[in-house]
Amino acid sequence: MSASLMSPTITDQPTQQLRDDDPNRSSRGRSALVNCALIAVAAIALIPFWAIFVGTFQDGTNLIRHGLNLGINWDEAGLQNYVMLFTDSGNFFRWFANSVGLTAVQTVLTLFVSAFVAYGFAKYEFRGKIALFITVVLLMTVPFEMMMLPLFSQIHSMGLSNTFVAIFLPFLAAPMTIFFFRQYLTGIPNELLEAGRVDGVSEFGIFFRLVLPLMTPAMAAMAILVGMGAWNNFLWPLLVLRSPEMYTLPVGLNTLLTPYGNNYDLLIVGAFFSLIPILVLFLMFQRFFISGMTAGAVKG
Amino acid sequence: MSTTTEHRTHRTEARVRPAAPRPRRPLSSLFFSQKAAPYLFVLPFIVTFALFWAYPIGRSAVMSTQWIIPGTTEFVGFDNYVRMFNDRLFWLAVGNSLRYMLLTLLLLIPIPMGLAVLVNSKVGSPRIKGFFKSAMFVPALTSVVVAGIIFRLMFSEGESALMNQVIGLFGMEPIRWMRGDITGLIALLVLALWRWTGVNMMYFLAGLQQIPQEHYEAAAIDGATRWQTFRHVTLPALKPTIIFVTTISVFGGLAMFLESFMLWGGNNSPQNIGLTIIGYLYRFGVERNDLGFASAVGVVLLALVLLINLTQLTLTGFFKKEAR
């Protein structure tokens, strides 16, 4: 580990090399050691994925009773869980479709509404702006869990419980997304907006036609963050949605995890199957995922 | 933040601008007014704040002084608060959340930081590091439900469950993980470590990549050892990242609920070993429908969070920067 504490350039400094008789050989040895350590840690991180993958070929009830491990019990292994998933899985694909649809709608609307608000904060001076922006920042880190009960009774009294709208409506003007977009938008030159005004474009025309197209990189980063949050959202849909055919994937999967369940096969294979879309997207757009999910730290 | 002066010049420019290109009808003039436009832009936030934050919280505050059973509400003053502070279960939940939060801080800052420094160093193959970064990041893509299902089954009681096989390698007997206070906590921490090491490592990597190369060269010229370089160059430069990661971990740790919910298959655990502050809130607000009491709990928690936020913003000089 001491090698890890070293900065890149110092490796090549003569003062350091004096300590080793053969700098090339020792640094190669160190390299091999680091490579092995990294592969080992990465393998550990991937073990749970392997475990659930192997589990999909096993009998679900036995897995619930005895637990998951990395081996395959060949006596009972087979593709029966997959056959069941595609032929007789009840609401599973309905939940899947609900999740896909809700994720798409919530992501697009959140990006749009938050960008709209952020533009107001970034490019105008108006009375009450500071107080309002401080509010945005204060709300940014409030954990949703602490708001869930007041929010739920509000949604209930608005007559929106058990609706899809309730899932995303309270979160469209998202403080975190607004803050990130505002930081990004302050970097856009005011001359551009002035040029638009001189050409007789309305204030909203400037936003839609000049500013929005410039926001693509920030949008990509936030699309990942918001989309991930929406796809994996569990607690809020669990509170709001009541009818099984309206469940999202996480809520539906959770209902299979009861002690009195009789569909543990579906639980395992469904849990694994729900990982696939996001893994495929990650492999395709890895760079955006990493920049999106770390977006908060760099600017914040 | 710093655009105030620029805006002033723009306004004067706008004023000397030649007369409007064409006559406008009243409604469309709203779209051209630089006075009205900002309010329309931030309107969605104002509405959201009023409808989904301020009003519900206000109503919650009122409810926290009431005794609510379906059909009747009765004003009880601060009874709910008194009941909460006298409830041993509440303090158990607070203790569980606090210890989980502190332990995640202890694990999820040094380990990801060390890995980030390792990945950022010139030692080791870049291709393996690329694979390493992806592999570490993938767990963060899983939902708490799927991650919870997998870990619940890996921490099963059976001797063939993965974690019992692992400790078996060290000659230990199978453990009933989720029945014990400490072993349950270990399961929660392993889950947290698995899901968030990669993301935190990326935060630290982003921080490390912003350190100018010259700082290291200067340290080398001064004859600094590796440890001194880390201590006096790397660590101070990572301070903003450390503050950021600490902040999100404090809130994430205190608000932890679903991990426990998934690992114990619900909000009930033996002797409430898995009960967290939010689990307590959920028990009274959702499971027992004791709305007055749950509101009091919620109000205290929200006040606490906002207080922490305000303190932090004051300490980091956010208000001064904004007021400028």
Side-chain angles (χ1 to χ4, degrees), chain B residues 255-271:
Chain B
M256 191 274 283
F257 165 57
L258 291 174
E259 284 81 352
S260 159
F261 187 86
M262 290 312 300
L263 283 185
W264 274 280
N267 197 22
N268 292 307
S269 45
Q271 276 96 51

Side-chain angles (χ1 to χ4, degrees), chain A residues 4 6 45 68-69 123 190 286, chain B residues 7 10 117 134 160 194 226:
Chain A
S4 70
M6 236 173 69
L68 204 55
N69 60 41
K123 289 298 175 188
N190 289 319
Q286 220 184 105
Chain B
H7 270 277
H10 280 141
V117 172
S134 308
S160 63
W194 178 70
R226 293 167 195 173

Side-chain angles (χ1 to χ4, degrees), chain B residues 84-255:
Chain B
M84 176 182 119
F85 285 115
N86 285 328
D87 186 2
R88 210 186 274 169
L89 195 61
F90 172 73
W91 294 109
L92 175 75
V94 169
N96 283 345
S97 288
L98 274 180
R99 91 183 163 176
Y100 173 82
M101 184 267 279
L102 289 173
L103 287 168
T104 51
L105 282 183
L106 227 56
L107 292 171
L108 278 166
I109 291 176
I111 294 174
M113 200 197 310
L115 290 173
V117 172
L118 192 63
V119 168
N120 198 46
S121 73
K122 274 196 176 145
V123 192
S125 132
R127 280 184 63 188
I128 288 177
K129 284 177 182 171
F131 165 73
F132 175 73
K133 280 195 278 187
S134 308
M136 294 304 286
F137 197 79
V138 177
L141 306 175
T142 60
S143 71
V144 70
V145 173
V146 173
I149 291 171
I150 301 176
F151 273 70
R152 186 175 148 85
L153 295 179
M154 294 198 317
F155 279 101
S156 267
E157 297 178 0
E159 57 182 293
S160 63
L162 183 65
M163 289 303 166
N164 277 336
Q165 287 185 339
V166 170
I167 61 167
L169 292 179
F170 300 98
M172 290 166 73
E173 292 294 307
I175 293 178
R176 301 165 92 185
W177 293 92
M178 304 319 290
R179 304 279 178 105
D181 186 27
I182 299 300
T183 50
L185 179 64
I186 290 173
L188 283 171
L189 290 172
V190 171
L191 176 56
L193 200 61
W194 178 70
R195 278 182 91 207
W196 301 119
T197 300
V199 175
N200 284 3
M201 184 180 82
M202 294 301 171
Y203 289 139
F204 283 114
L205 263 178
L208 284 174
Q209 274 150 14
Q210 284 175 349
I211 304 176
Q213 216 44 239
E214 294 82 56
H215 291 192
Y216 288 114
E217 284 157 20
I221 289 167
D222 291 345
T225 63
R226 293 167 195 173
W227 170 248
Q228 285 171 328
T229 313
F230 175 76
R231 174 73 189 75
H232 296 288
V233 178
T234 312
L235 209 52
L238 284 181
K239 203 178 143 200
T241 317
I242 295 173
I243 292 176
F244 173 78
V245 176
T246 307
T247 311
I248 56 169
S249 310
V250 166
F251 287 121
L254 290 179

Side-chain angles (χ1 to χ4, degrees), chain B residues 37-86:
Chain B
Y39 293 103
L40 287 174
F41 275 115
V42 297
L43 190 64
F45 177 72
I46 297 176
V47 173
T48 304
F49 178 69
L51 209 55
F52 297 119
W53 290 89
Y55 180 70
I57 291 176
R59 203 168 59 171
S60 209
V62 173
M63 279 163 68
S64 75
T65 62
Q66 294 169 335
W67 168 248
I68 302 170
I69 42 169
T72 48
T73 46
E74 189 190 326
F75 177 78
V76 292
F78 289 106
D79 282 8
N80 286 324
Y81 292 91
V82 174
R83 184 181 144 199
M84 176 182 119
F85 285 115
N86 285 328

